[in-house]
Amino acid sequence: MYRLIFTLIFKPMDAERAHHLSFTALRVLDRIPGLGRLLRVVFARGTQQPAEVLGLPFPNRVGLAAGFDKNGVGVRALSALGFGHIEVGTITAHAQPGNERPRLFRLLRSRALLNRMGFNNDGARQASFNITRQRKALAALPAAKRPIIGINIGKTKVVPAEDAVADYVASTRELAPLADYLVINVSSPNTPGLRDLQSVSALEPIITAVRETAAEVVAAPRSALGHVPLLVKIAPDLSDEDVVDICDLAARAGADGLIVTNTTIDRNVLTGNDAAFARREAGGISGRPLAARSLEVLRLVAATVGDELTIVSVGGVGDGRDVSARLAAGADLVQVYSEMIYSGPFWPGRIIRGQGTRLLTRGTGGA
């Protein structure tokens, strides 16, 4: 049924408009008395596979990556699909419109997306109001069914690189009290100069400042770690040497984990008409073509950090076997996004229930 809906309704429609339409519909349905509960029965059955990660009680190990809910307006509705955690954002200290449209494209043959959104969001202060309302709405659910909420923060486009630390600090002050965990995003290809902040010299002061600010504004963190867990999201296009350097830096600077990986700017992951189209357009590629490099980076990070840091794997997850492979390769959590556009709202619950997603510890091997 979803394939028919996608072909007849969403496929002819601009990708960003289709996203807003489907997301709005889900939020409206969740607010109708009794229907939100029915959605959870239909979509999220069998997804309770509890795991403690980052000192937090995750309902399961599969979550929704940042980018879907940029402003934190639909966390409760998205939880009806069965996700164990939902990462909101990327949110910047100041509201910004993002890049000009069109800025989101489907690469149909590759089951991929190309985006150059540019961190379009309403800013940290408005997001704090939105997430506060979502937390109140989630409080009506049984505790075991409430997703963990991650908040992903990035640099405001108009803020110069030399003021990046202060910009991240401003977002942290607003959002850390509402976050189960925080993510520093320095790896999107769609904000000019952002990826330069992945250098050790630029990244270390950001990690230190965000960590110290979160400790200052959050007296009672939700995590058993005793502080708001802090992760760094890195790009798949880094050299292996740079990945190792960031691993060492993250551990040294007091980060708790890494998210691997963001979208890629490498057009060689595509073939045919999709490759030709992507070479004419700016932006990052997500979806199945990213799987190989994402898995490579995951294995490298796992070999480098051991059990010292938490690892979240994202990029190219297509089914339950992919989730099993990421957990077996060293991930503690797995995030998804692009494939849901092609496979629909039943897909998250299906892959969570899939073979091997019940692994309880990192690197124990698939079933």
Side-chain angles (χ1 to χ4, degrees), residues 54 183 203 207 230-234 243-244 246-251 255-261 298 301-302 305 309-313 332-333:
L54 294 167
V183 180
L203 183 55
I207 294 174
L230 178 62
L231 297 92
V232 178
K233 189 167 186 176
I234 65 173
V243 170
V244 171
I246 289 179
C247 289
D248 293 340
L249 166 63
D256 298 285
L258 294 169
I259 299 184
V260 292
T261 59
L298 166 61
V301 169
V305 305
L309 297 175
T310 293
I311 306 174
V312 183
S313 179
D332 298 283
L333 300 168

Side-chain angles (χ1 to χ4, degrees), residues 152-320:
N152 184 305
I153 57 175
K155 186 183 79 66
T156 307
K157 183 177 181 178
V158 298
V159 170
E162 57 267 26
D163 296 328
V165 172
D167 194 59
Y168 280 98
V169 165
S171 294
T172 303
R173 287 192 181 281
E174 292 283 356
L175 297 170
L178 295 163
D180 290 320
Y181 69 84
L182 276 172
V183 180
I184 297 171
N185 188 346
V186 287
S187 52
S188 169
N190 300 317
T191 295
L194 184 72
R195 286 191 169 193
D196 295 340
L197 299 180
Q198 291 179 115
S199 69
V200 169
S201 60
L203 183 55
E204 185 163 13
I206 295 174
I207 294 174
T208 300
V210 170
R211 178 173 52 79
E212 291 177 351
T213 302
E216 176 186 334
V217 300
V218 182
R222 298 174 181 84
S223 170
L225 297 179
H227 60 268
V228 180
L230 178 62
L231 297 92
V232 178
K233 189 167 186 176
I234 65 173
D237 307 310
L238 291 167
S239 69
D240 288 356
E241 292 78 8
D242 287 340
V243 170
V244 171
D245 286 344
I246 289 179
C247 289
D248 293 340
L249 166 63
R252 183 174 71 247
D256 298 285
L258 294 169
I259 299 184
V260 292
T261 59
N262 212 320
T263 58
T264 182
I265 58 174
D266 181 8
R267 271 44 183 169
N268 292 325
V269 300
L270 300 170
T271 58
N273 291 336
D274 285 345
F277 175 83
R279 289 190 175 100
R280 297 193 300 268
E281 301 287 348
I285 298 162
S286 62
R288 293 200 181 187
L290 186 55
R293 179 56 181 165
S294 182
L295 187 55
E296 284 179 0
V297 177
L298 166 61
R299 287 171 173 154
L300 175 59
V301 169
T304 303
V305 305
D307 294 327
E308 192 171 1
L309 297 175
T310 293
I311 306 174
V312 183
S313 179
V314 57
V317 174
D319 55 31

Side-chain angles (χ1 to χ4, degrees), residues 1-2 42-43 81 340 343-351 353:
M1 182 181 294
Y2 179 78
V42 172
F43 293 131
L81 303 185
M340 190 167 71
S343 296
F346 286 94
W347 177 73
R350 193 161 63 242
I351 65 167
R353 292 187 294 270

